[in-house]
Amino acid sequence: MKQFIKLLILASMTFAGSAIAIPALQLGGDTADGWSYDTITETWVTEGDSVTFTAYANATSDQGGNGAFAWDQTVTMFAYIIVSAVPDLGMTDSFNVTLTGDDGGNILTLVTSGYGTPPLDDTNSLAPHGIFNTYFEIYQISFNDAITGIFDTQPGETGTGMGFLEVISLVINSSDAGVVGLHIDLFTISGSTAYSLCDLVGDPGCADNNLVNAFAPFSHDAEITIPEPATAALLGLGLIGFGLARRRKIK
């Protein structure tokens, strides 16, 4: 009996002293920039046509990370941001965006676009998100900043550790009528450190290099609601009316 109680005490001490592991990849929005966390969809959400968010990648245990690692190779730490149309309007190219990283204002590289569940090479990886099939675009980023302390971005979670982060700015240049928002995901691939040409054309010979190695779970993704044009138009009319009234008052 005493031995059993001793084991229980040791187990509780071990549990209390262990940190909760953070996801390999995750997205997060700063509440100061208008982001909030939707507890029903478990997604970071905001509204606007110009937003900023952060991508996080967990480090390996020997680097101070706490959880799964985002890559199977760490020479060049590429990752891929998926921007998807909400709702599904078919295979049409339904939006135009510009993504800019924090590396001296570099515009992110558009790797590929398509329709379905991205990436098309590994169609089951992002299916649980529930918005696919839809039109999507995939952009490449590189986690090349210094290692730093990161945390679990889902409210209520307490995991911390060392990792990498990249601040991304997204500007919506245009969108088709019917597109009410853009959904954002993040993933890395196994094998090679970046998409190759055969990945882009769907060559079966790339099968070992284009499978998803890690992706931000659905509880650590993000979504942008596009402001309604009618709202913007009403705001513009209101400002014009205000200007005319002020002009009359001056006269």
Side-chain angles (χ1 to χ4, degrees), residues 8 15 41-42 88 95 104 129 140 157 163 168 172 189 202 211 229:
L8 284 177
F15 179 77
T41 61
E42 297 187 312
D88 176 19
F95 59 83
H129 288 63
Q140 179 178 287
E157 299 296 331
I168 309 297
I172 303 173
I189 59 174
L211 297 180

Side-chain angles (χ1 to χ4, degrees), residues 123-136:
T123 56
N124 292 321
S125 293
L126 296 176
H129 288 63
I131 65 169
F132 305 110
N133 294 327
T134 191
Y135 172 78
F136 64 86

Side-chain angles (χ1 to χ4, degrees), residues 8 22-23 29 32 36 69 85 87 100-101 121 160 179 193 202 207 226 234 239-240:
L8 284 177
I22 61 178
S36 60
F69 190 47
T100 307
D121 315 278
T160 58
V179 177
T193 56
I226 301 175
L234 287 173
L239 292 175
I240 292 172

Side-chain angles (χ1 to χ4, degrees), residues 55-99:
Y56 300 85
N58 199 25
T60 54
S61 57
D62 60 321
Q63 295 174 309
N66 175 31
F69 190 47
W71 299 275
D72 54 7
Q73 300 180 34
T74 58
V75 178
T76 305
M77 296 182 293
F78 288 118
Y80 300 89
I81 293 176
I82 303 171
V83 183
S84 306
V86 179
D88 176 19
L89 298 179
M91 301 179 67
T92 179
D93 181 349
S94 52
F95 59 83
N96 180 281
V97 296
T98 300
L99 276 74

Side-chain angles (χ1 to χ4, degrees), residues 1-247:
M1 184 65 179
K2 289 182 178 180
Q3 183 66 20
F4 177 70
I5 295 174
K6 184 178 180 181
L7 289 173
L8 284 177
I9 294 173
L10 288 173
S12 63
M13 291 175 63
T14 302
F15 179 77
S18 62
I20 300 175
I22 61 178
L25 291 168
Q26 51 182 336
L27 293 169
D30 189 342
T31 55
D33 291 334
W35 289 89
S36 60
Y37 189 79
D38 189 324
T39 56
I40 297 177
T41 61
E42 297 187 312
T43 299
W44 284 98
V45 295
T46 192
E47 180 177 355
D49 51 19
S50 180
V51 302
T52 299
F53 60 91
T54 305
Y56 300 85
N58 199 25
T60 54
S61 57
D62 60 321
Q63 295 174 309
N66 175 31
F69 190 47
W71 299 275
D72 54 7
Q73 300 180 34
T74 58
V75 178
T76 305
M77 296 182 293
F78 288 118
Y80 300 89
I81 293 176
I82 303 171
V83 183
S84 306
V86 179
D88 176 19
L89 298 179
M91 301 179 67
T92 179
D93 181 349
S94 52
F95 59 83
N96 180 281
V97 296
T98 300
L99 276 74
T100 307
D102 57 10
D103 306 324
N106 294 329
I107 296 177
L108 271 59
T109 304
L110 174 63
V111 177
T112 188
S113 60
Y115 175 82
T117 301
L120 297 177
D121 315 278
D122 191 3
T123 56
N124 292 321
S125 293
L126 296 176
H129 288 63
I131 65 169
F132 305 110
N133 294 327
T134 191
Y135 172 78
F136 64 86
E137 296 179 351
I138 299 179
Y139 294 82
Q140 179 178 287
I141 65 172
S142 178
F143 282 85
N144 53 11
D145 289 344
I147 193 170
T148 186
I150 63 174
F151 58 95
D152 193 325
T153 64
Q154 183 176 1
E157 299 296 331
T158 58
T160 58
M162 301 302 292
F164 307 89
L165 61 85
E166 293 289 333
V167 178
I168 309 297
S169 298
L170 186 151
V171 175
I172 303 173
N173 302 314
S174 63
S175 61
D176 289 353
V179 177
V180 300
L182 299 178
H183 193 88
I184 307 173
D185 294 293
L186 179 69
F187 73 96
T188 59
I189 59 174
S190 59
S192 63
T193 56
Y195 266 110
S196 62
L197 178 60
C198 59
D199 290 316
L200 299 180
V201 297
D203 188 334
C206 290
D208 293 335
N209 292 331
N210 57 19
L211 297 180
V212 170
N213 186 61
F215 64 90
F218 73 90
S219 57
H220 296 74
D221 55 6
E223 191 162 300
I224 305 164
T225 299
I226 301 175
E228 295 183 14
T231 302
L234 287 173
L235 177 61
L237 289 173
L239 292 175
I240 292 172
F242 176 78
L244 291 174
R246 185 173 182 273
R247 186 177 177 182

